[in-house]
Amino acid sequence: AVFTRKLAAHAPPVHNLVRLARLSHLELSPEREESLMVITAFNLEARYPDMQRSFRSQCTPEFTIGQMSVIKELVVWLQSQLV
């Protein structure tokens, strides 16, 4: 949504969230960049069968709760970029 709003074009079909953020001209703090890299890795690990087992073993309740908190913070930040 940020890409489309800022550039008045469709976002490219990529899964790399850091790349999309940069293409959208968002200023990323090191923490946000790291968070986006981790979330991008979730997509890759969940998508490919040989990586799924190791990904599932990481997803303890504590890990999942922590990551959901990070993702919620990113959503709020991204929404603020739409204004």
Side-chain angles (χ1 to χ4, degrees):
V2 174
F3 184 96
T4 301
R5 175 73 54 93
K6 287 188 170 213
L7 301 173
H10 291 287
V14 298
H15 297 289
N16 184 322
L17 298 178
V18 173
R19 181 168 176 234
L20 280 174
R22 288 185 178 144
L23 290 172
S24 300
H25 307 291
L26 292 174
E27 292 185 29
L28 295 175
S29 67
E31 295 81 16
R32 285 191 179 121
E33 185 171 335
E34 177 67 25
S35 295
L36 291 175
M37 286 191 300
V38 170
I39 296 166
T40 297
F42 292 165
N43 180 54
L44 295 174
E45 292 171 354
R47 177 173 236 160
Y48 298 103
D50 56 329
M51 298 175 92
Q52 286 178 355
R53 184 171 298 144
S54 67
F55 178 64
R56 279 192 292 254
S57 69
Q58 291 177 24
C59 296
T60 63
E62 296 81 17
F63 176 84
T64 303
I65 289 168
Q67 292 304 309
M68 288 301 297
S69 176
V70 169
I71 292 167
K72 287 176 184 179
E73 289 174 16
L74 282 170
V75 167
V76 169
W77 174 71
L78 287 167
Q79 288 172 333
S80 76
Q81 301 303 303
L82 291 171
V83 182

